[in-house]
Amino acid sequence: RNPDDAVARQDTITMIATQIRRVRKAIPELASVWVREHNLEPGRPPCDWDDPADRDRLVSELVDDANELVFAAEDLVADGALVLSEKQTDAVALLALVAGQDVEPGDKPGQWRIARRTAADRVISTVDPEARHAHKTRRSLRDGYKAHVAAEPDTGLITACDIGPGNAGDADTAPELLAGEPAGTEVLGDSAYSAGELRSHLEERGMQATIKPPPLRSAVENGFTIDDFSVDVEAGTLTCPEGVTVTISAARTARFAKACRTCAVRHLCTTATNGRIIKLHPHHLLLVAARAQAATDDFDHTYRQHRPMIERTIAWLVRNNHRRLRYRGAERNRLGWSHRCAAVNLKRLVALG
């Protein structure tokens, strides 16, 4: 069950079978296209779910029926015999998507099976195609949408809000939330907003980033990190802790292969057979500066001072089961979320006098 969205996640079988019936209903001209009767009946098609071969048989039949409907719709449009409305076009497109996103060719021609992978930007429900898988952490998996807010850190008043798919990054939404803020604004955020692209955007806008960077990992436990290497931007070189300098390639890659063979501290740097290879981030210098800033007392004081109020604002927003969205589709949920934020702001303004 989906804990945060108004729509429950559907499995591949249910999505394909449901959308086959929906397309046939939405486009009467496709009623003459042959589709297996059991794939048109309500509920899940008959199958021995304990038999892998029978599961693959069902998947193959569903994908074949879905493809037949998609191809037939394309042929009718190409021949000029049919003009699809926007709703009909979306229904056919969604059928093609759900019939292909989770399957792969089987052992024989014409056979299909469920793929052992998760497609990027996977649709999780034909009832709400805009909902997505969301990873709160590696172990906390949810489905639906992700709510975003920007708030004034002294009062907790919300200045901007948005709703996006569950798989969207926080830092991707931040520029829109900050679009109305003037140059010179100090932007605070946790490590989810530490992307180099966002830092670059803030720098271009003349804003100050007080954003906590994620912990830096080393290739070897207790070994050297990327911050132990020095970059010379003008010369286009990278120097390791032992003073070995190599050229950074056009792909922003630095290879220390030859030097690592005789290096006395290799065990603190890499376990790779071919030596240390470093891929520099496009905004490497900004990220290095951010980690240095985060180690200062000023950063720690500002971050600790303002974070509690922001956490309190988020708690006000999601209390009374408001972590769960009420509607289907991003637009309706965006409207509902903005009303919730406005109500919390009003209550906060009353409390502030």
Side-chain angles (χ1 to χ4, degrees), residues 117-135:
R117 55 165 172 74
T118 300
D121 202 35
R122 180 180 183 269
V123 172
I124 64 171
S125 171
T126 58
V127 179
D128 189 352
E130 294 178 288
R132 292 292 185 272
H133 290 304
H135 287 227

Side-chain angles (χ1 to χ4, degrees), residues 194-214:
S194 188
E197 291 76 9
L198 176 58
R199 293 182 181 276
S200 177
H201 173 80
L202 296 178
E203 186 177 65
E204 292 172 359
R205 292 280 308 277
M207 297 181 177
Q208 177 186 346
T210 305
I211 301 175
K212 185 177 181 180

Side-chain angles (χ1 to χ4, degrees), residues 13 55 58-59 98 127 182 207 261 302 311 315:
I13 302 296
R55 292 201 303 268
L58 176 58
V59 172
V98 298
V127 179
M207 297 181 177
R261 295 173 186 169
T302 301
E311 294 293 344

Side-chain angles (χ1 to χ4, degrees), residues 215-229 241 260 263-273 275-278:
L216 194 61
R217 297 179 181 179
S218 58
V220 176
E221 187 177 358
N222 298 322
F224 297 126
T225 68
I226 187 66
D227 285 352
D228 294 314
F229 293 73
C260 290
C263 181
V265 294
R266 174 175 178 162
H267 64 286
L268 295 175
C269 191
T270 182
T271 58
T273 304
R276 185 71 180 264
I277 300 175
I278 293 179

Side-chain angles (χ1 to χ4, degrees), residues 4 20 28 30 34 54 76 132 136 197 240 274 297 300 303 306-307 329:
D4 293 336
I20 285 175
L30 297 180
W34 182 81
D54 202 41
L76 289 172
R132 292 292 185 272
K136 180 67 175 177
E197 291 76 9
C240 78
N274 296 325
D297 292 337
D300 189 62
Y303 193 81
H306 293 299
R307 178 163 183 171

Side-chain angles (χ1 to χ4, degrees), residues 108-337:
K108 298 180 180 180
Q111 290 185 346
W112 300 89
R113 63 189 174 206
I114 301 295
R116 294 185 177 180
R117 55 165 172 74
T118 300
D121 202 35
R122 180 180 183 269
V123 172
I124 64 171
S125 171
T126 58
V127 179
D128 189 352
E130 294 178 288
R132 292 292 185 272
H133 290 304
H135 287 227
K136 180 67 175 177
T137 64
R138 289 186 176 183
R139 295 184 179 181
S140 177
L141 308 180
R142 301 175 180 177
D143 298 310
Y145 295 88
K146 185 181 289 186
H148 306 273
V149 293
E152 201 283 319
D154 289 320
T155 62
L157 289 172
I158 301 160
T159 59
C161 64
D162 196 11
I163 286 285
N167 60 351
D170 293 342
D172 297 335
T173 310
E176 295 183 11
L177 298 176
L178 299 171
E181 302 297 334
T185 299
E186 182 180 12
V187 179
L188 289 83
D190 60 22
S191 57
Y193 296 91
S194 188
E197 291 76 9
L198 176 58
R199 293 182 181 276
S200 177
H201 173 80
L202 296 178
E203 186 177 65
E204 292 172 359
R205 292 280 308 277
M207 297 181 177
Q208 177 186 346
T210 305
I211 301 175
K212 185 177 181 180
L216 194 61
R217 297 179 181 179
S218 58
V220 176
E221 187 177 358
N222 298 322
F224 297 126
T225 68
I226 187 66
D227 285 352
D228 294 314
F229 293 73
S230 57
V231 177
D232 188 328
V233 176
E234 295 183 359
T237 59
L238 184 68
T239 303
C240 78
E242 287 295 287
V244 177
T245 300
V246 298
T247 301
I248 302 173
S249 70
R252 305 188 63 80
T253 301
R255 301 175 182 273
F256 293 88
K258 294 181 180 180
C260 290
R261 295 173 186 169
T262 57
C263 181
V265 294
R266 174 175 178 162
H267 64 286
L268 295 175
C269 191
T270 182
T271 58
T273 304
N274 296 325
R276 185 71 180 264
I277 300 175
I278 293 179
K279 178 76 172 181
L280 291 178
H281 191 280
H283 303 290
H284 171 76
L285 295 181
L286 279 176
L287 296 174
V288 171
R291 289 189 286 268
Q293 176 199 26
T296 64
D297 292 337
D298 287 343
F299 178 94
D300 189 62
H301 173 74
T302 301
Y303 193 81
R304 289 178 179 273
Q305 176 187 357
H306 293 299
R307 178 163 183 171
M309 176 54 74
I310 300 302
E311 294 293 344
R312 199 169 300 150
T313 298
I314 295 174
W316 292 331
L317 285 167
V318 300
R319 68 169 48 172
N320 298 327
N321 201 32
H322 278 90
R323 187 178 293 277
R324 181 185 176 93
L325 296 177
R326 299 315 199 248
Y327 312 105
R328 299 174 184 173
E331 277 305 312
R332 290 184 178 183
N333 280 314
R334 186 173 291 115
L335 183 61
W337 182 242

Side-chain angles (χ1 to χ4, degrees), residues 16 19-21 23-24 27 29-31 33-35 62-78 82 84 88-100:
I16 299 177
Q19 198 59 22
I20 285 175
R21 296 192 293 268
V23 167
R24 294 254 302 190
I27 308 175
E29 290 83 353
L30 297 180
V33 178
W34 182 81
V35 175
L62 283 169
V63 173
D64 286 343
D65 287 352
N67 288 338
E68 286 296 328
L69 290 172
V70 172
F71 296 152
E74 292 177 349
D75 291 340
L76 289 172
V77 171
L82 181 63
L84 296 180
Q88 291 172 326
T89 301
D90 289 344
V92 174
L94 183 57
L95 176 59
L97 179 60
V98 298

